[in-house]
């Protein structure tokens, strides 16, 4: 479960289902009888109309005065009109013009809406807000009134009229596109592409646009149907092609005059028009089945604009350079624009060649902290205070171009779900070789060879087969190895791993941890490992930071924290962890921590763990700073740390000395949670 699920983030706003891809869309149509009927009719009517001059039985002006208002016959398959003209010939002669001009309206609508949606999804909230307001104005304009005004000004130029229709309807299509584009923009494979150095425009073209193919086609067909009906309606009221040039709306208007004398005349043209619209809708409905709802938009309020101006003004402020290859995070505070803080004053250091573990329950801010290190915070979430020093740069204040120069090349990123970090539209080889080419500037052949080499480094034996495979053709463990290979494509000095083993089984987890441990030893890079599992921390990490409710509540070396934890929350987590808790002498079952992590809006002013802590006292309601540990380096955020001495191995305090604050947890509940650290016996 993501740590950011408690507040609005890109990961919590994802659409529930992935859009259909082109081959899958074709298979969906072939399996649907209704969709196939609609598609077959559209193909027949389009081909017949466009080739009408080659096969029409009569010229459109030919009049057979011996068969005026005649019904269907061998000479006239669909009968004749009031002037003895062949109805079949006039229907299909009119079809080409109707279909071409309607096609133009759909092209204009999609051609305007799609680029705007891609720009809005990839840009800042300010640009998105501006585009939203412009499209809302376009949607508020009565299209029919404007079209009639255009006809009054320039005449019945259907090409111009349908172009105006496309422009006016583009606003509504944009709203559909921007929802899906923002949903796709939140996918991990888009983040991976950004980390690999792909520019936002190329991300939209290579990753967002192909995954929107079905939605684009669906909206195109729907606009086509709307345009066809509107064009017929205009011709019916006299704003279409003028006689003797035929049009479907004009044919229906002429037939309506004979409705009481010869009702059959209404049937052929009416059915062709109705079946064409129904066919287009049937295809669109078949393809649109199961599409997920778009996520909500991120508003840009006055407070958000003020904070962004302050951050931009503070950008030139110089910060002390970090040593080469060292990451120094100091006082980092992250919050929602016009909203609460999500991470409060987080500080830690990662030296070259070391692994830092970040541990805590879901909702504690681990993932947000990790994402801030590579500038991938969700829209509307930004650093407010503090610094992230990497060399001479402060990553918290860099703009997108500055971050793009670092992502992938100096800092790599591995996300939680490997299958979502890979674009399903492309093969593994295409994605991995493309990353190598972007980040290292090599040719195609060298990039392909390096991609195979990277797969070998992450333990994939049959590299050539995997390079030819699509993401859905490989297992979860292999996908995680590929994701790690992608992160290594630019030879980074620091790797951010956000719960890289969460979605894997135990055996594969051990293999991935062994792989990461070997890569650190071989390459000398450093790593920040976000995890829930103390077993993972004990296996691979050198130092550990324990987070709770957006704060660092304990930090130190793995030996100090896991062997002699001093914060009640850390001891409770150890007792609840199957890797550590079951190794405690005298403990028969795993402990649990009552309650849950509070929401950011509900954070208390004092100790944020007090409501769940059996050792809480009235003095815990005041703000708590980090206090130096009794043993080893690091700190503990607990005002009673020296009094409780939970980390002492020789003289543990009696549990009945703890008295909870009013409304606090049952003091007996976390009794076993405190035991592991006091006994100091943890199995790693």
């Amino acid at each position: 479960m993501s740590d950011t699920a408690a507040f609005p983030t890109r990961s919590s706003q994802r659409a529930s289902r992935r859009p259909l891809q082109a081959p899958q869309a074709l298979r969906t149509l072939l399996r649907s009888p209704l969709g196939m009927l609609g598609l077959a009719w559209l193909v027949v009517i389009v081909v017949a109309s466009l080739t009408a001059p080659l096969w029409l039985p009569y010229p459109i002006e030919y009049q057979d005065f011996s068969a005026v208002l005649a019904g269907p016959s061998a000479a006239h398959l669909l009968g004749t009109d009031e002037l003895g003209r062949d109805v079949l010939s006039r229907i299909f002669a009119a079809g080409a013009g109707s279909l071409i001009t309607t096609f133009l309206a759909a092209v204009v609508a999609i051609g305007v809406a799609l680029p705007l949606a891609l720009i809005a999804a990839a840009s800042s909230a300010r640009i998105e807000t501006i585009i939203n307001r412009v499209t809302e104005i376009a949607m508020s304009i009565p299209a029919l009134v404007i079209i009639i005004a255009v006809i009054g000004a320039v005449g019945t130029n259907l090409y111009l009229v349908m172009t105006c229709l496309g422009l006016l309807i583009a606003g509504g299509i944009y709203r559909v596109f921007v929802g899906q584009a923002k949903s796709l923009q939140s996918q991990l494979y888009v983040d991976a592409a950004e980390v690999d150095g792909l520019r936002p425009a190329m991300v939209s073209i290579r990753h967002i646009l192909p995954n929107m193919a079905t939605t684009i086609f669906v909206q195109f067909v729907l606009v086509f149907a709307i345009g066809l009906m509107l064009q017929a309606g205009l011709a019916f009221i006299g704003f279409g092609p003028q006689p003797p040039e035929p049009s479907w709306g004009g044919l229906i208007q002429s037939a309506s005059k004979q409705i009481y004398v010869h009702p059959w005349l209404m049937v052929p043209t009416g059915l062709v028009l109705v079946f064409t619209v129904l066919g287009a809708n049937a295809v669109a409905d078949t393809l649109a089945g199961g599409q997920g709802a778009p996520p909500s938009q991120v508003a840009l309020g006055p407070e958000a604009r003020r904070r962004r101006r302050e951050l931009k003004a503070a950008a030139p402020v110089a910060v002390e350079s970090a040593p080469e290859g060292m990451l120094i995070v100091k006082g980092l505070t992250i919050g929602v624009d016009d909203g609460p803080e999500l991470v409060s004053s987080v500080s830690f250091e990662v030296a070259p060649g070391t692994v830092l573990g970040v541990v805590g329950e879901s909702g504690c801010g681990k993932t947000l902290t990790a994402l801030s290190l590579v500038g991938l915070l969700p829209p509307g979430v930004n650093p407010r205070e503090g610094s992230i020093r990497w060399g001479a740069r402060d990553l918290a204040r860099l703009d997108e171009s500055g971050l793009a120069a670092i992502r992938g090349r100096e800092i790599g990123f591995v996300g939680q779900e490997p299958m979502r970090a890979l674009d399903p539209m492309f093969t593994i080889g295409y994605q991995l070789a493309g990353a190598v080419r972007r980040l290292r500037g090599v040719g195609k052949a060298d990039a392909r060879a390096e991609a195979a080499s990277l797969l070998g480094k992450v333990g994939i034996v049959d590299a050539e087969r995997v390079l030819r495979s699509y993401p859905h053709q490989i297992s979860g463990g292999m996908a995680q190895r590929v994701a790690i290979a992608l992160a290594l494509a630019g030879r980074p000095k620091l790797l951010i791993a956000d719960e890289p083993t969460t979605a894997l089984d135990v055996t594969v987890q051990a293999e991935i941890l062994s792989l990461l441990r070997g890569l650190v030893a071989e390459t000398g890079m450093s790593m920040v490992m976000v995890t829930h599992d103390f077993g993972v921390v004990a296996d691979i990490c050198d130092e550990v930071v324990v987070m709770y409710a957006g704060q660092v509540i304990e930090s130190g070396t793995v030996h100090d924290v896991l062997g002699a934890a001093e914060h009640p929350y850390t001891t409770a987590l150890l007792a609840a962890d199957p890797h550590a808790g079951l190794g405690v002498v005298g403990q028969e079952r795993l402990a649990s921590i009552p309650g849950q992590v509070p929401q950011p809006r509900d954070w208390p002013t004092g100790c944020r763990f007090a409501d769940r802590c059996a050792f809480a006292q009235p003095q815990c309601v005041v703000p708590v700073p980090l206090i130096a540990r009794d043993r080893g380096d690091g700190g503990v955020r607990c005002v009673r740390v020296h009094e409780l001495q939970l980390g002492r191995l020789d003289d543990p305090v009696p549990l009945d000395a703890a008295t909870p604050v009013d409304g606090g947890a049952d003091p007996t509940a976390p009794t076993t949670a405190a035991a592991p650290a006091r006994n100091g016996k943890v199995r790693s």
Side-chain angles (χ1 to χ4, degrees):
M1 183 177 178
S2 173
D3 295 316
T4 58
F7 36 80
T9 67
R10 289 191 295 177
S11 59
S12 65
Q13 293 176 338
R14 290 171 181 154
S16 59
R17 297 186 183 181
R18 193 180 65 186
L20 295 176
Q21 302 170 18
Q24 183 183 354
L26 181 58
R27 290 194 296 270
T28 301
L29 274 176
L30 294 177
R31 287 195 298 265
S32 170
L34 186 61
M36 278 301 299
L37 283 175
L39 181 62
W41 174 263
L42 289 177
V43 170
V44 169
I45 201 70
V46 169
V47 172
S49 298
L50 295 179
T51 61
L54 303 178
W55 62 269
L56 287 181
Y58 301 97
I60 58 174
E61 301 88 1
Y62 175 79
Q63 295 175 279
D64 186 354
F65 294 108
S66 63
V68 174
L69 292 177
S73 64
H76 303 282
L77 296 180
L78 295 180
T80 60
D81 62 9
E82 69 278 9
L83 297 178
R85 295 172 295 191
D86 184 69
V87 173
L88 176 65
S89 299
R90 291 181 64 79
I91 287 176
F92 284 99
S98 298
L99 294 174
I100 290 173
T101 52
T102 306
F103 184 87
L104 175 63
V107 168
V108 170
I110 301 299
V112 171
L114 184 57
L116 290 178
L118 294 176
I119 293 171
S123 302
S124 65
R126 180 186 299 276
I127 294 177
E128 180 189 353
T129 301
I130 294 174
I131 297 176
N132 286 347
R133 298 296 89 81
V134 172
T135 56
E136 287 166 3
I137 292 173
M139 292 172 63
S140 68
I141 298 174
L144 187 58
V145 173
I146 298 299
I147 288 173
I148 292 177
V150 171
I151 293 175
V154 302
T156 55
N157 185 331
L158 283 183
Y159 291 96
L160 180 59
V161 169
M162 299 311 285
T163 298
C164 292
L165 174 63
L167 292 173
L168 293 171
I169 207 171
I173 305 303
Y174 161 81
R175 303 301 294 182
V176 177
F177 285 164
V178 75
Q180 189 182 17
K182 287 181 69 65
S183 175
L184 291 169
Q185 197 77 35
S186 70
Q187 298 297 322
L188 291 178
Y189 58 78
V190 173
D191 288 344
E194 292 177 353
V195 169
D196 290 340
L198 201 63
R199 296 186 178 277
M202 294 307 298
V203 169
S204 296
I205 294 172
R206 292 190 182 183
H207 296 281
I208 306 299
L209 191 58
N211 283 283
M212 293 179 64
T214 299
T215 303
I216 294 170
F217 183 70
V218 168
Q219 294 303 313
F220 182 91
V221 172
L222 291 178
V223 175
F224 178 84
I226 293 172
L228 195 61
M229 292 296 293
L230 181 61
Q231 184 181 147
L234 290 173
F236 183 84
I237 61 176
F239 293 116
Q242 298 302 305
E245 183 180 353
S247 65
W248 286 351
L251 292 176
I252 294 175
Q253 193 266 350
S254 298
S256 66
K257 298 177 181 178
Q258 311 295 330
I259 189 71
Y260 297 110
V261 179
H262 189 60
W264 166 257
L265 191 58
M266 180 71 75
V267 175
T269 310
L271 287 180
V272 168
L273 179 61
V274 169
F275 286 161
T276 303
V277 173
L278 290 179
N281 287 333
V283 172
D285 288 343
T286 301
L287 294 177
Q291 291 288 329
S296 58
Q297 304 296 307
V298 178
L300 185 67
E303 180 66 15
R305 291 193 290 269
R306 182 186 66 79
R307 286 176 179 160
R308 293 193 178 196
R309 286 196 300 269
E310 291 177 353
L311 184 62
K312 185 175 180 180
V317 177
V319 297
E320 181 183 352
S321 297
E324 180 68 22
M326 175 174 280
L327 176 72
I328 301 178
V329 178
K330 187 174 182 180
L332 178 63
T333 297
I334 302 172
V336 178
D337 293 340
D338 296 330
E341 286 185 1
L342 306 178
V343 172
S344 302
S345 192
V346 169
S347 299
F348 57 80
E349 296 181 2
V350 185
T354 63
V355 180
L356 172 72
V358 183
V359 189
E361 295 175 85
S362 295
C364 288
K366 306 188 305 298
T367 293
L368 273 185
T369 302
L371 292 175
S372 69
L373 304 181
V374 283
L376 293 178
L377 288 171
V381 178
N382 294 287
R384 293 183 179 177
E385 299 176 2
S387 62
I388 306 173
R389 287 183 284 166
W390 177 254
R393 292 157 294 189
D394 182 359
L395 304 185
R397 300 180 185 277
L398 285 183
D399 56 16
E400 184 61 29
S401 60
L403 289 168
I406 294 175
R407 294 186 191 127
R409 295 174 174 84
E410 299 181 34
I411 302 178
F413 180 79
V414 180
Q416 295 183 22
E417 302 173 57
M419 295 305 292
R420 301 186 71 172
L422 301 172
D423 195 326
M425 298 292 293
F426 305 102
T427 63
I428 302 298
Y430 179 87
Q431 298 181 65
L432 186 52
V436 172
R437 291 187 66 192
R438 290 192 301 272
L439 298 175
R440 302 192 190 180
V442 299
K444 288 185 177 180
D446 291 339
R448 183 80 177 187
E450 181 60 26
S453 175
L454 284 172
L455 292 183
K457 288 181 180 179
V458 297
I460 294 179
V461 178
D462 192 0
E464 287 301 325
R465 180 187 65 82
V466 174
L467 289 175
R468 294 192 301 269
S469 302
Y470 285 88
H472 70 274
Q473 296 175 315
I474 60 178
S475 65
M478 192 170 292
Q480 188 62 281
R481 293 174 186 271
V482 172
I484 295 172
L486 277 169
L488 299 176
R491 298 192 184 101
K493 300 176 183 177
L494 171 66
L495 183 64
I496 312 298
D498 183 11
E499 301 188 44
T501 61
T502 297
L504 308 176
D505 59 60
V506 177
T507 303
V508 178
Q509 283 185 21
E511 294 175 353
I512 296 299
L513 289 176
S514 177
L515 166 65
L516 292 174
R517 187 166 52 246
L519 289 172
V520 170
E522 177 185 350
T523 63
M525 69 178 179
S526 52
M527 185 187 308
V528 175
M529 169 75 73
V530 176
T531 181
H532 292 276
D533 193 340
F534 273 110
V536 172
V537 173
D539 189 7
I540 194 173
C541 297
D542 302 298
E543 298 182 356
V544 61
V545 165
V546 182
M547 293 189 66
Y548 181 80
Q551 287 183 327
V552 174
I553 54 94
E554 185 163 7
S555 63
T557 66
V558 169
H559 178 272
D560 291 338
V561 174
L562 269 63
E566 296 184 345
H567 196 286
Y569 178 65
T570 309
T571 62
L573 286 180
L574 285 168
D577 190 283
H579 297 87
L582 293 182
V584 177
V585 175
Q587 182 172 331
E588 298 179 354
R589 58 181 298 180
L590 290 176
S592 62
I593 308 175
Q596 59 185 6
V597 181
Q599 299 287 329
R601 63 177 179 273
D602 300 326
W603 285 345
T605 56
C607 176
R608 296 177 182 178
F609 186 61
D611 288 343
R612 306 173 69 189
C613 180
F615 302 99
Q617 294 285 337
Q619 64 262 38
C620 297
V621 298
V622 299
V624 184
L626 273 174
I627 302 172
R629 295 174 55 87
D630 280 340
R631 297 175 180 234
D633 297 328
V636 181
R637 196 179 296 274
C638 179
V639 295
R640 301 189 65 199
V641 57
H642 299 307
E643 174 188 350
L644 294 175
Q645 296 183 333
L646 295 180
R648 293 285 298 271
L649 306 184
D650 52 353
D651 186 23
V653 298
L655 290 175
D656 55 9
T659 303
V661 295
D662 293 340
D666 182 356
T668 62
T671 296
T672 54
R678 295 198 307 275
N679 291 329
K681 297 177 181 179
V682 179
R683 184 177 65 191
S684 62

